[in-house]
Amino acid sequence: MEPAGPCLEDGHRPLVLPPHLWSPQLNAAPADQIRLLDVQAFDVRLSQLAHRRKSLPEHAELESLNKDLSQLRDLLVAAQTEESDCAREQTKAEQDVDQVRQRSARDQQRLDSGAVTSPKDLENLQKEIASLAKRQGDLEDVVLEVMERRESAQERVAELSGRVSSVQAKADDAAARRDAAYEELDGESASVGKEREVVAGSVPADLMKLYEKLREQQGGVGAARLYQRRCEGCHIELNITELNEVRAAAPDAVVRCENCRRILVRTPESGL
């Protein structure tokens, strides 16, 4: 058998609150219920601070900058690799030129020394010197072409290095601004958390337990003020039957909103 609620005036039948408007065997002084609204306000503020922390514009800014940095660094590595490859290629080409030059110098020295007297050998030696000269010219052209590619790669490396440094500086600045915002928000959250702890400690444990359960179920709002006949949790106005039931409830009865199930706290502005 359900417990009866408070009686109306003599001559009227006893009023039994429906289950959606009361918490069985749970009563709390009106002052404690109003303090529950203070706890709720602290929790709303903490949720707002957490949302602000998560939604700082620096997050999106850093994400974009880090994406740019990653792409630029990949391009920089590719340019550095190309410059390194060109450097090795240039070294190899210069060594080839040096080998041909040394061989041509030896042949020219033989020719100039008069040690070769056979007309045929002289002709062959002269042809080889001419061939080596052509080979040396071709190799020197290769060296020039590689040097140009290497210079272009070096310019690309310098350009990309500058861009990486510039974007990194912007990322560092954004991170510093984010960390400063973190510090401010975390400090405020800690302060609000301490105030909440003090107020929550003065609210009866069974009422807090119900509040926490409802807050988890109802998107962070477990208690709402009844203001001008309207629940500030779901923003729905109570009908006349619901208002009469709330009016008839004892001042220390913990009532609930029929629509959203939250604890409904009565105040002088409830319009009852």
Side-chain angles (χ1 to χ4, degrees), residues 223-238:
R225 182 175 62 152
L226 176 60
Y227 180 73
Q228 296 297 313
R229 305 181 181 183
R230 185 183 301 272
C231 171
E232 290 192 332
C234 59
H235 305 290
I236 292 179
E237 185 172 339
L238 276 64

Side-chain angles (χ1 to χ4, degrees), residues 73-262:
R73 284 169 176 155
D74 288 344
L75 292 173
L76 178 58
V77 169
Q80 290 171 331
T81 300
E82 182 181 0
E83 194 278 330
S84 180
D85 291 344
C86 286
R88 285 193 295 270
E89 189 177 349
Q90 180 181 339
T91 298
K92 176 64 168 58
E94 289 173 344
Q95 289 174 345
D96 291 342
V97 169
D98 190 55
Q99 289 176 356
V100 171
R101 185 183 293 114
Q102 291 177 12
R103 182 174 175 183
S104 179
R106 287 196 300 270
D107 287 347
Q108 187 64 46
Q109 187 177 7
R110 287 182 60 202
L111 182 64
D112 294 340
S113 67
V116 180
T117 57
S118 168
K120 185 176 182 180
D121 291 342
L122 284 172
E123 182 181 359
N124 289 338
L125 187 58
Q126 289 171 341
K127 287 181 179 180
E128 183 176 349
I129 291 173
S131 176
L132 289 171
K134 183 178 183 307
R135 174 63 176 160
Q136 180 177 331
D138 291 342
L139 289 173
E140 287 174 343
D141 289 342
V142 170
V143 170
L144 289 175
E145 186 270 334
V146 173
M147 288 177 65
E148 290 175 355
R149 284 194 286 116
R150 184 182 181 187
E151 183 178 352
S152 177
Q154 288 173 331
E155 291 175 353
R156 181 70 171 156
V157 167
E159 175 201 357
L160 288 169
S161 296
R163 291 172 64 185
V164 166
S165 296
S166 176
V167 175
Q168 183 64 64
K170 292 178 181 179
D172 291 343
D173 177 70
R177 285 185 277 112
R178 177 204 60 193
D179 293 344
Y182 275 172
E183 185 176 358
E184 180 181 353
L185 292 171
D186 291 347
E188 185 174 352
S189 294
S191 177
V192 172
K194 289 179 180 178
E195 293 183 65
R196 180 200 189 275
E197 185 178 355
V198 171
V199 177
S202 67
V203 177
D206 53 355
L207 183 58
M208 279 299 302
K209 182 177 180 180
L210 175 61
Y211 164 75
E212 294 290 7
K213 178 181 178 180
L214 293 174
R215 188 166 72 91
E216 183 177 351
Q217 295 173 349
Q218 300 293 337
V221 179
R225 182 175 62 152
L226 176 60
Y227 180 73
Q228 296 297 313
R229 305 181 181 183
R230 185 183 301 272
C231 171
E232 290 192 332
C234 59
H235 305 290
I236 292 179
E237 185 172 339
L238 276 64
N239 61 41
I240 188 63
T241 301
E242 294 164 347
L243 283 172
N244 285 336
E245 290 168 343
V246 173
R247 286 190 186 109
D252 64 347
V254 177
V255 298
R256 305 267 292 276
C257 174
E258 180 179 6
N259 182 66
C260 68
R261 307 290 293 132
R262 295 179 173 95

